[in-house]
Amino acid sequence: MKNTFGNNLTVTLFGESHGNAVGAVLDGLAPGIAVDEEFIRFQLSLRRPVGDISTARQEPDHFVIQSGVFEGRTTGTPLCIVIPNENTRSQDYGDMRGKARPGHADYTAYAKYHGFEDPRGGGHFSGRITAALVAAGAIVLSALKGKGIAVGTHIARLAGLADRDFADWNADIATLAKKPFAVLDAKASMQMVSAITAAKKEGDSVGGVLETAVTGLPAGVGEPWFDTVEGLLAHALFSIPAVKGVEFGTGFDIADLRGSQANDPFRMEQGRVVTTTNHNGGVNGGITNGMPLLFRCAVKPTPTIFKAQDTVDFMQKQNAALQARGRHDPCIVHRARVVVDSVTAFTLYDLLAGRFGTDWLA
Amino acid sequence: MKNTFGNNLTVTLFGESHGNAVGAVLDGLAPGIAVDEEFIRFQLSLRRPVGDISTARQEPDHFVIQSGVFEGRTTGTPLCIVIPNENTRSQDYGDMRGKARPGHADYTAYAKYHGFEDPRGGGHFSGRITAALVAAGAIVLSALKGKGIAVGTHIARLAGLADRDFADWNADIATLAKKPFAVLDAKASMQMVSAITAAKKEGDSVGGVLETAVTGLPAGVGEPWFDTVEGLLAHALFSIPAVKGVEFGTGFDIADLRGSQANDPFRMEQGRVVTTTNHNGGVNGGITNGMPLLFRCAVKPTPTIFKAQDTVDFMQKQNAALQARGRHDPCIVHRARVVVDSVTAFTLYDLLAGRFGTDWLA
Amino acid sequence: MKNTFGNNLTVTLFGESHGNAVGAVLDGLAPGIAVDEEFIRFQLSLRRPVGDISTARQEPDHFVIQSGVFEGRTTGTPLCIVIPNENTRSQDYGDMRGKARPGHADYTAYAKYHGFEDPRGGGHFSGRITAALVAAGAIVLSALKGKGIAVGTHIARLAGLADRDFADWNADIATLAKKPFAVLDAKASMQMVSAITAAKKEGDSVGGVLETAVTGLPAGVGEPWFDTVEGLLAHALFSIPAVKGVEFGTGFDIADLRGSQANDPFRMEQGRVVTTTNHNGGVNGGITNGMPLLFRCAVKPTPTIFKAQDTVDFMQKQNAALQARGRHDPCIVHRARVVVDSVTAFTLYDLLAGRFGTDWLA
Amino acid sequence: MKNTFGNNLTVTLFGESHGNAVGAVLDGLAPGIAVDEEFIRFQLSLRRPVGDISTARQEPDHFVIQSGVFEGRTTGTPLCIVIPNENTRSQDYGDMRGKARPGHADYTAYAKYHGFEDPRGGGHFSGRITAALVAAGAIVLSALKGKGIAVGTHIARLAGLADRDFADWNADIATLAKKPFAVLDAKASMQMVSAITAAKKEGDSVGGVLETAVTGLPAGVGEPWFDTVEGLLAHALFSIPAVKGVEFGTGFDIADLRGSQANDPFRMEQGRVVTTTNHNGGVNGGITNGMPLLFRCAVKPTPTIFKAQDTVDFMQKQNAALQARGRHDPCIVHRARVVVDSVTAFTLYDLLAGRFGTDWLA
């Protein structure tokens, strides 16, 4: 299925960094979902580079909905959204052809596409393509919200600096929804910005960890094998460039606990089954248990840096030195979080649509 | 697709812990792959409970290949392998109906299947089902081996105790292939066994981290979005019961590195492109780069323990106390590693078959 | 996806004519569907050879449900049903290896599987495999019946002899459900049996046309492109061995009509939208319109005959003469109709489950 | 999967008749396929309305390739092609809202999408959407041609008038490639045009049968169950609006033959296995046998006619009279044939890519 994801809601992604446009096709949306173009614009603004701590490439992201919306609502037929590339400076990259940026996909793209890949700005591998995920994601996030399902992501760690944990789930998600730099603790937020600026000055980059919470999910969604909630989410999340790890609930730290510590005791609360801890991140046996879904993504430091690096010229088959130019991000963690929200929305909508039918989310 | 995984090679899983049998259908195997029943038996023995540190339920795992093999080789048509359940004691569970074991799927299964699920021994959610993955996996691992691709997993951490890292990739993988308790460092191995025994005495359980390496993969396999090597592997790995985190290369620790540290410099080595470090675990932009694939799975402590626990009776909708009985594992990390190898084999074979065609792996 | 069909309900087929067993895995069934083993046995009896007009191979079809059923009802997890092969006489075929039976898959199987295919009795290409479709289909037909959806197929034509058309849809479907030789007109039925007997005497075979009606389907099921009701049904129906054509409503004859004749006028009838004719077979724009679904399958005469035939020995790469032996059917039309019903049931259930959710059909 | 088709090559379709644009995403194309924009334009011209015998709506079909092509060749990443709608006159349809055109999808769309569907000009159900199939199909047809695989379709029957059969396969396909009105026999061609004109004068419409041949396919492509060559092609072909039947080789007429007549004898010819007749249309057991693939599609008369018709107003739930206005085709058979070629190309490319790997078709 390659660049398509999902069973009952599918997302198909296309585009290159310096080509005509990037875009996505959403198929399987319920008919009648209100499409809020203002919210799409806002979500795209959260992904857009911010001041000093991001790339100088500023794209206006003038999206066009080509199909699937009529009189402001989804029709239920495929929705194609296209975002033209307007600010491209391909000459920045011309003489780098063949020189693999370490940590980037230049060499693997060549190994796969034999040199026919579009090399300008990373081509189809560029973070630019995530703009399409965010635009499409905004529509799906709205639909979920209409069913009482809220998704929010914060920067749990950046350059070794930690944000506070989620406390009041719904309030924190609401707070994050409006923040361009999604950190719950104001002091940590300032420190993180400073850390990005410092790395930038050195021509270097930093990474971090994004933590996501989802509230309002019913219990009983997901499959026992293969199409587990964790498996489907991880499948989608790992396609976000730079994500190198995904963990649920207590994640890797659960490995050092005993069963008596890691098990989440069940209790009745106002006629509802709840757990008193959430080490399992809202999922048991691959299926939601009605508690908040909680997971984290490890985001590596942006591979394109301005320090000299050892590499190869894979076309000449020889060692080479690399000195990157162009416009790049010293950190993409803050820009990636709205991509995480979007990809999470696709995955959950897909599971819910399979469970409750096409019309449930309208 | 639920209990089926894969595009060009698909695995379909069925069975319950205390039902007739567990099994799997493999579809898309190249014709002509030698099926080594002795190796299947050996791999099943690696998953089977071991002495004191495992459950007392001993299944002989007398598998039957129902189809897809003729004169000792795959035919290329669907291969169904069935493993009868022979040692079931369902009465152990009868009066626990409705009492959700914390950390287990009892409650979520009820939320999804409305009480029609088979509750005996965890039903379709039981680790017992992984026997089918291992039997099928043995065939696929053999096929990969025939193409020079080796897969090996060790217990990198257990109850807080660490094994040494992979050193000589191929030698370590060969060593692990024969070990029932897959730890590279002999001293760590003994300590881990003691830790399991200690937990068992207390009616408790322990977890750990499994680390997997794959050598011999060509560069250029995987897709840029969604069907990335990381995404597909994680999708499959998270369906192994108790896995709560998956990370590649340096994983979550990469979040604290700078780009200049995390980037893996490329070099030419004997006419081949290599990297001098492997923080990215052999994958750039979702596609293999020809270096060893490296990833880790967090395995939580077995949820079924013999300590009293708070829970609910979800059928009576009231709080309840739980005192588990029956036969259970104080640790499943050592048994899970051959499941990880199997699931890895399916995923890689699928990608390779898509890239190089049906016949390539014969 | 190869030997798997469906999105929300998937059917995976395995087995060979003279191997251990044939079988199927059904995944995506709602939990709680009553499984009537007596009805499965009855449906299998409808597929089984009948007296003089069929092959002498008599299989008892002792099916085993390996998983997915608990206390007589579906659990909602994969249901695997296995039917052992008990009456195989492989020596009948031994010296025919390499000699392609005209009209059969011997040569194409060799071209695809390079000689690793199981050649005994047609291997995985044998009509024997349809026993698994019928057993699994019985469960799905029951589920549909529980929702008021009835499926029935009659032999509309056989050896040039015609049955009467459907008249009272539901009454005719109910009549057919009990008939081993599914012809509505008693006289035509006798003539058809005579035609089969006559062909058999000459060592030859005959074909026919099966016509299927489905009542009780709601309007609004199916997709506008690709996953149309017609497209999905045809996809499944063409995998029934010997089917060479599929047409809906008036089918190929509609090509000679004018629009004013072919259009089915809509009318209100007791508050429901109906059409006064049914040239479109219950489907407009790929989506059900609430009228009976109506389609026909062309079934070619059984390729294995006892007359001498020209062929090649594809292993020796030379011309050869073929004189078939073994046990074969002079006609499979009457045996195929319950296969058509089963395959129809899978396809419709899949569409309904996607539209209305997992639980709708329970 | 809804509006997406294929496993190794996927086509995703989007757009509405009177919306912004129609388009398609092709994913899984080999890298390096030359993209001939002139040929795309030519193919689109074959689908475009012709003089008196078609609708007056003339779309220039100025397509834009948004992604997946670099320096005139496919990159191997998703190719999105968008065709803006430029000549729309939606006011023609305004007051027909709720009045179901008999034979069309107005009512079924309403039943599925609850009135949120775009009703202008048939919305997503319009034949207009096939422009995207044709544009994308041109690229795939070129790729197949590069491997020696030729696809051609003629109007075998129209308004009861018959064309001659294929004679010299490759020569006939080459002839058809250049004909705007794809009839092999010149006299039949003129008669057919007259029949269309006559129907138009009466405000009525005519249908026909399209027959397609494909040469150059290797033997051994296709799957035995479900993903048969016939099943996959039919799945795709039935999504072409107005197709109500698909048959292979001798098709429905094979039902009246005896086995001794219908079987295609095999012979060696210049070291190659051939058949001396082609009743099976190049497919045995779902797999290509190396002979020309041959099939026919029944195309119903265009449902929109200018005669008064009985219908319902499904929004008012009452009977209504319909007098169509707007711009419509008295026949779409001649315009549909290039759609058939395109859909055939997708399906065969998909099968070939699965069999021989991603790069084979480059």
Side-chain angles (χ1 to χ4, degrees):
Chain A
M1 287 260 290
K2 304 182 173 76
N3 296 274
T4 294
F5 186 73
N7 293 301
N8 289 287
L9 175 72
T10 58
V11 191
T12 299
L13 206 55
F14 59 86
E16 286 90 29
S17 182
H18 292 207
N20 267 9
V22 301
V25 183
L26 278 175
D27 192 13
L29 287 172
I33 298 171
V35 174
D36 178 347
E37 302 210 355
E38 202 47 58
F39 183 60
I40 300 175
R41 262 186 289 276
F42 178 71
Q43 291 291 95
L44 283 167
S45 80
L46 295 181
R47 199 204 70 94
R48 211 140 43 213
V50 194
D52 264 5
I53 59 171
S54 303
T55 174
R57 177 178 175 187
Q58 283 285 354
E59 282 284 358
D61 293 337
H62 294 122
F63 62 89
V64 182
I65 296 177
Q66 299 283 14
S67 65
V69 176
F70 180 62
E71 297 179 344
R73 292 184 176 269
T74 56
T75 55
T77 55
L79 188 160
C80 178
I81 192 160
V82 171
I83 309 175
N85 291 322
E86 304 181 35
N87 180 358
T88 58
R89 291 192 354 219
S90 300
Q91 67 282 16
D92 284 346
Y93 303 91
D95 63 338
M96 282 167 63
R97 189 85 180 98
K99 289 193 190 168
R101 284 170 294 166
H104 216 296
D106 302 328
Y107 168 62
T108 55
Y110 180 77
K112 182 175 174 69
Y113 301 113
H114 311 303
F116 292 108
E117 68 277 8
D118 181 346
R120 300 169 299 165
H124 185 58
F125 291 81
S126 167
R128 170 75 187 140
I129 283 77
T130 61
L133 290 174
V134 171
I139 297 166
V140 182
L141 283 163
S142 292
L144 291 175
K145 202 173 179 184
K147 303 297 285 188
I149 298 165
V151 181
T153 298
H154 74 122
I155 304 172
R157 204 163 82 218
L158 190 148
L161 301 159
D163 190 17
R164 74 161 168 82
D165 288 343
F166 278 104
D168 179 330
W169 301 98
N170 283 318
D172 285 349
I173 290 172
T175 301
L176 291 169
K178 290 178 188 123
K179 288 203 175 216
F181 194 79
V183 180
L184 293 165
D185 180 84
K187 194 174 156 198
S189 181
M190 286 187 301
Q191 291 172 328
M192 290 179 188
V193 170
S194 300
I196 298 173
T197 314
K200 191 187 175 187
K201 267 189 201 135
E202 300 175 40
D204 214 336
S205 64
V206 293
V209 173
L210 291 169
E211 183 174 59
T212 303
V214 184
T215 59
L217 284 172
V221 175
E223 300 294 334
W225 295 93
F226 302 126
D227 285 359
T228 62
V229 171
E230 294 115 319
L232 286 174
L233 275 168
H235 187 158
L237 292 165
F238 272 115
S239 77
I240 302 175
V243 171
K244 297 302 281 189
V246 174
E247 61 177 16
F248 289 81
T250 300
F252 275 86
D253 288 345
I254 208 169
D256 292 345
L257 299 184
R258 288 241 173 141
S260 55
Q261 299 166 304
N263 285 348
D264 299 311
F266 288 105
R267 291 278 96 177
M268 296 305 298
E269 192 180 282
Q270 299 174 308
R272 238 180 106 244
V273 174
V274 299
T275 63
T276 56
T277 56
N278 194 12
H279 293 295
N280 285 280
V283 187
N284 295 132
I287 298 174
T288 53
N289 65 12
M291 295 301 292
L293 183 64
L294 184 70
F295 60 85
R296 277 173 299 283
C297 297
V299 182
K300 72 174 182 178
T302 331
T304 308
I305 55 175
F306 294 95
K307 297 193 153 182
Q309 296 182 87
D310 281 347
T311 190
V312 296
D313 183 319
F314 51 76
M315 298 181 83
Q316 305 295 332
K317 304 274 176 225
Q318 61 189 27
N319 287 336
L322 181 79
Q323 179 60 55
R325 290 195 312 280
R327 303 168 297 179
H328 297 289
D329 290 272
C331 179
I332 56 158
V333 180
H334 54 294
R335 299 181 61 193
R337 64 104 177 193
V338 71
V339 185
V340 168
D341 286 348
S342 299
V343 153
T344 301
F346 299 141
T347 310
L348 295 176
Y349 189 112
D350 183 35
L351 279 166
L352 290 161
R355 179 77 167 83
F356 298 110
T358 310
D359 295 346
W360 186 72
L361 286 132
Chain B
M1 287 258 291
K2 305 185 172 74
N3 296 272
T4 294
F5 186 75
N7 293 300
N8 289 286
L9 176 71
T10 57
V11 191
T12 300
L13 205 56
F14 59 86
E16 285 89 29
S17 182
H18 291 208
N20 266 9
V22 301
V25 182
L26 277 174
D27 192 13
L29 287 172
I33 298 171
V35 174
D36 178 348
E37 301 209 354
E38 201 48 58
F39 182 61
I40 300 174
R41 261 185 289 277
F42 177 71
Q43 291 291 94
L44 283 168
S45 80
L46 295 181
R47 199 204 71 94
R48 210 139 43 213
V50 195
D52 266 5
I53 59 171
S54 304
T55 174
R57 177 177 174 186
Q58 284 286 352
E59 281 285 359
D61 293 337
H62 293 123
F63 64 87
V64 181
I65 297 177
Q66 297 284 16
S67 65
V69 176
F70 180 60
E71 297 179 344
R73 290 183 176 271
T74 56
T75 55
T77 54
L79 189 160
C80 177
I81 192 160
V82 172
I83 310 175
N85 292 323
E86 304 182 34
N87 179 359
T88 56
R89 289 190 355 216
S90 301
Q91 67 281 17
D92 285 347
Y93 302 90
D95 62 339
M96 282 167 62
R97 191 83 180 95
K99 289 192 190 171
R101 285 170 294 166
H104 216 296
D106 302 329
Y107 168 63
T108 55
Y110 180 78
K112 182 175 172 69
Y113 301 115
H114 311 303
F116 293 109
E117 68 277 8
D118 181 346
R120 299 168 300 164
H124 185 58
F125 291 81
S126 167
R128 171 73 187 141
I129 283 78
T130 61
L133 289 174
V134 171
I139 296 166
V140 181
L141 284 163
S142 292
L144 291 175
K145 202 174 180 183
K147 303 298 285 189
I149 297 165
V151 181
T153 298
H154 73 123
I155 304 172
R157 203 162 83 218
L158 190 147
L161 301 159
D163 191 16
R164 74 160 169 83
D165 288 343
F166 278 104
D168 179 331
W169 301 96
N170 283 317
D172 285 348
I173 290 172
T175 301
L176 291 168
K178 287 175 189 126
K179 287 205 174 215
F181 194 80
V183 180
L184 293 164
D185 179 82
K187 194 174 155 198
S189 181
M190 286 188 301
Q191 291 172 328
M192 290 178 188
V193 171
S194 300
I196 298 173
T197 315
K200 189 187 177 187
K201 267 189 201 134
E202 300 175 37
D204 215 334
S205 64
V206 293
V209 173
L210 291 169
E211 183 175 58
T212 303
V214 184
T215 60
L217 283 172
V221 176
E223 301 294 333
W225 295 94
F226 301 126
D227 285 0
T228 62
V229 171
E230 294 116 320
L232 286 174
L233 275 168
H235 187 158
L237 291 165
F238 272 114
S239 77
I240 303 175
V243 170
K244 296 302 281 188
V246 173
E247 60 177 18
F248 290 81
T250 299
F252 275 85
D253 288 345
I254 209 169
D256 292 344
L257 298 184
R258 288 242 173 137
S260 56
Q261 299 166 305
N263 285 348
D264 300 311
F266 288 105
R267 291 278 96 177
M268 297 303 300
E269 191 180 281
Q270 298 173 311
R272 237 181 109 245
V273 174
V274 298
T275 63
T276 56
T277 56
N278 194 13
H279 292 295
N280 285 281
V283 187
N284 295 133
I287 297 175
T288 55
N289 65 13
M291 296 301 293
L293 182 65
L294 184 70
F295 60 85
R296 277 173 300 284
C297 297
V299 182
K300 72 174 181 177
T302 331
T304 308
I305 56 175
F306 294 94
K307 297 193 154 182
Q309 295 182 86
D310 281 347
T311 191
V312 296
D313 184 318
F314 51 76
M315 298 179 83
Q316 304 296 331
K317 303 275 177 224
Q318 61 189 28
N319 287 336
L322 181 78
Q323 179 60 55
R325 291 194 314 280
R327 303 167 298 179
H328 297 289
D329 290 272
C331 179
I332 56 158
V333 180
H334 53 293
R335 298 180 62 192
R337 65 104 175 191
V338 72
V339 185
V340 169
D341 286 349
S342 299
V343 153
T344 301
F346 299 140
T347 309
L348 296 175
Y349 189 112
D350 183 36
L351 279 166
L352 290 161
R355 179 77 168 84
F356 298 112
T358 311
D359 295 347
W360 186 72
L361 286 133
Chain C
M1 288 261 289
K2 303 183 172 77
N3 296 273
T4 295
F5 185 74
N7 293 300
N8 289 287
L9 175 72
T10 57
V11 190
T12 299
L13 205 55
F14 60 85
E16 286 89 30
S17 181
H18 292 207
N20 267 9
V22 301
V25 182
L26 278 175
D27 192 13
L29 286 173
I33 298 171
V35 175
D36 177 347
E37 301 210 354
E38 201 48 56
F39 182 60
I40 300 175
R41 261 186 290 277
F42 178 71
Q43 291 291 94
L44 284 167
S45 81
L46 295 181
R47 199 204 71 94
R48 210 138 46 212
V50 195
D52 264 6
I53 59 171
S54 304
T55 174
R57 178 176 174 187
Q58 284 286 352
E59 282 284 359
D61 294 335
H62 294 121
F63 63 87
V64 181
I65 296 177
Q66 298 284 14
S67 65
V69 176
F70 181 61
E71 297 180 342
R73 290 184 177 270
T74 56
T75 56
T77 55
L79 189 162
C80 177
I81 192 161
V82 172
I83 309 174
N85 291 323
E86 303 181 35
N87 179 0
T88 57
R89 289 191 358 215
S90 301
Q91 66 282 13
D92 284 346
Y93 302 90
D95 62 338
M96 281 167 63
R97 189 86 180 94
K99 288 193 190 169
R101 285 170 294 165
H104 216 295
D106 302 329
Y107 167 62
T108 56
Y110 180 78
K112 182 174 173 67
Y113 301 115
H114 311 303
F116 292 109
E117 69 276 8
D118 180 345
R120 299 168 301 166
H124 185 58
F125 291 81
S126 166
R128 171 72 186 142
I129 283 78
T130 60
L133 290 174
V134 171
I139 297 167
V140 181
L141 284 163
S142 292
L144 291 176
K145 201 173 178 183
K147 302 298 284 188
I149 298 165
V151 181
T153 298
H154 73 121
I155 304 172
R157 203 162 82 218
L158 190 147
L161 301 158
D163 191 16
R164 74 161 167 84
D165 288 342
F166 277 104
D168 178 331
W169 301 97
N170 283 316
D172 285 348
I173 290 172
T175 300
L176 292 168
K178 288 175 188 125
K179 287 205 175 215
F181 194 79
V183 180
L184 293 164
D185 179 83
K187 193 174 156 198
S189 180
M190 285 187 302
Q191 290 172 327
M192 290 178 188
V193 171
S194 300
I196 299 173
T197 314
K200 189 186 177 188
K201 268 189 200 133
E202 301 176 39
D204 215 333
S205 63
V206 293
V209 173
L210 291 168
E211 182 175 58
T212 303
V214 184
T215 59
L217 283 171
V221 176
E223 301 292 335
W225 296 94
F226 301 127
D227 285 359
T228 60
V229 170
E230 294 115 320
L232 287 174
L233 275 168
H235 187 158
L237 291 165
F238 273 114
S239 78
I240 302 175
V243 170
K244 297 302 281 188
V246 173
E247 61 177 16
F248 289 81
T250 300
F252 275 86
D253 288 345
I254 208 168
D256 293 344
L257 298 184
R258 288 244 172 137
S260 55
Q261 300 167 304
N263 286 347
D264 299 311
F266 288 105
R267 291 277 97 178
M268 296 304 299
E269 190 179 283
Q270 298 174 308
R272 238 180 105 243
V273 174
V274 299
T275 63
T276 55
T277 56
N278 194 11
H279 294 294
N280 285 280
V283 187
N284 294 132
I287 298 175
T288 53
N289 64 13
M291 295 301 292
L293 183 65
L294 183 70
F295 60 86
R296 277 173 299 282
C297 297
V299 182
K300 72 177 182 177
T302 330
T304 308
I305 55 175
F306 294 94
K307 296 193 154 181
Q309 295 181 87
D310 280 347
T311 191
V312 296
D313 183 318
F314 51 77
M315 299 181 82
Q316 306 294 332
K317 304 273 176 227
Q318 61 190 27
N319 287 337
L322 181 79
Q323 179 61 55
R325 289 195 312 282
R327 304 168 297 179
H328 297 288
D329 289 272
C331 179
I332 56 158
V333 180
H334 53 294
R335 299 181 61 193
R337 65 104 177 193
V338 71
V339 184
V340 168
D341 286 348
S342 299
V343 154
T344 301
F346 299 142
T347 309
L348 295 176
Y349 189 112
D350 183 35
L351 279 167
L352 291 162
R355 180 77 168 83
F356 298 110
T358 311
D359 295 346
W360 186 72
L361 286 132
Chain D
M1 288 259 288
K2 304 182 174 77
N3 296 273
T4 294
F5 186 74
N7 292 299
N8 289 286
L9 176 71
T10 57
V11 191
T12 299
L13 205 55
F14 59 87
E16 285 90 28
S17 182
H18 291 208
N20 266 9
V22 302
V25 183
L26 278 174
D27 192 13
L29 286 172
I33 298 171
V35 174
D36 178 347
E37 301 209 355
E38 201 47 57
F39 182 61
I40 300 174
R41 261 185 290 277
F42 178 70
Q43 292 290 95
L44 283 167
S45 80
L46 294 181
R47 198 204 71 94
R48 211 142 40 213
V50 196
D52 264 5
I53 59 171
S54 305
T55 173
R57 176 176 175 188
Q58 283 286 352
E59 282 285 359
D61 293 338
H62 293 122
F63 63 87
V64 182
I65 297 178
Q66 298 284 14
S67 65
V69 176
F70 181 61
E71 297 178 344
R73 289 184 177 272
T74 56
T75 55
T77 54
L79 189 160
C80 178
I81 192 160
V82 171
I83 309 176
N85 291 323
E86 304 181 34
N87 180 359
T88 56
R89 293 195 348 224
S90 301
Q91 67 282 15
D92 284 348
Y93 303 91
D95 62 339
M96 282 167 63
R97 189 87 180 93
K99 289 192 190 169
R101 285 170 293 166
H104 216 296
D106 303 328
Y107 168 63
T108 56
Y110 180 77
K112 181 175 173 68
Y113 301 114
H114 310 303
F116 293 109
E117 68 277 8
D118 180 347
R120 299 169 299 165
H124 185 58
F125 291 80
S126 166
R128 170 74 187 140
I129 283 79
T130 61
L133 289 174
V134 171
I139 297 167
V140 181
L141 283 163
S142 292
L144 291 175
K145 201 172 179 185
K147 304 297 285 187
I149 298 165
V151 181
T153 298
H154 74 123
I155 303 172
R157 204 164 81 219
L158 191 146
L161 301 158
D163 190 17
R164 73 160 168 83
D165 288 342
F166 278 104
D168 179 331
W169 301 97
N170 283 317
D172 284 348
I173 290 171
T175 300
L176 292 168
K178 287 175 191 126
K179 288 205 174 213
F181 194 80
V183 179
L184 292 164
D185 179 83
K187 193 175 156 198
S189 181
M190 286 187 301
Q191 291 172 327
M192 290 178 188
V193 170
S194 301
I196 298 173
T197 312
K200 190 187 174 188
K201 266 187 203 137
E202 301 175 38
D204 215 333
S205 64
V206 294
V209 173
L210 291 168
E211 182 175 59
T212 303
V214 185
T215 59
L217 284 172
V221 175
E223 301 293 335
W225 296 94
F226 301 126
D227 285 359
T228 61
V229 170
E230 294 115 321
L232 286 173
L233 275 168
H235 187 158
L237 292 164
F238 272 114
S239 76
I240 303 175
V243 170
K244 296 302 280 187
V246 174
E247 61 177 16
F248 290 81
T250 299
F252 275 85
D253 288 345
I254 209 169
D256 292 345
L257 299 184
R258 288 244 173 138
S260 55
Q261 299 166 306
N263 286 348
D264 300 310
F266 289 105
R267 291 279 96 178
M268 296 305 299
E269 191 179 283
Q270 298 173 308
R272 237 180 109 243
V273 174
V274 299
T275 63
T276 57
T277 55
N278 194 12
H279 292 294
N280 285 280
V283 186
N284 294 132
I287 298 175
T288 54
N289 65 14
M291 295 302 291
L293 183 64
L294 184 69
F295 59 87
R296 276 172 301 282
C297 297
V299 181
K300 72 175 182 179
T302 330
T304 308
I305 55 175
F306 295 94
K307 296 192 156 185
Q309 295 181 87
D310 279 347
T311 189
V312 296
D313 183 319
F314 49 78
M315 298 180 84
Q316 305 295 331
K317 304 274 177 224
Q318 60 190 29
N319 287 336
L322 181 78
Q323 179 60 56
R325 290 195 312 279
R327 302 167 298 178
H328 297 289
D329 290 272
C331 178
I332 56 159
V333 181
H334 54 292
R335 298 180 62 193
R337 64 104 177 195
V338 73
V339 184
V340 168
D341 286 349
S342 299
V343 153
T344 301
F346 300 140
T347 309
L348 295 176
Y349 189 112
D350 183 35
L351 279 167
L352 290 161
R355 179 77 169 83
F356 298 112
T358 311
D359 295 347
W360 186 72
L361 285 132

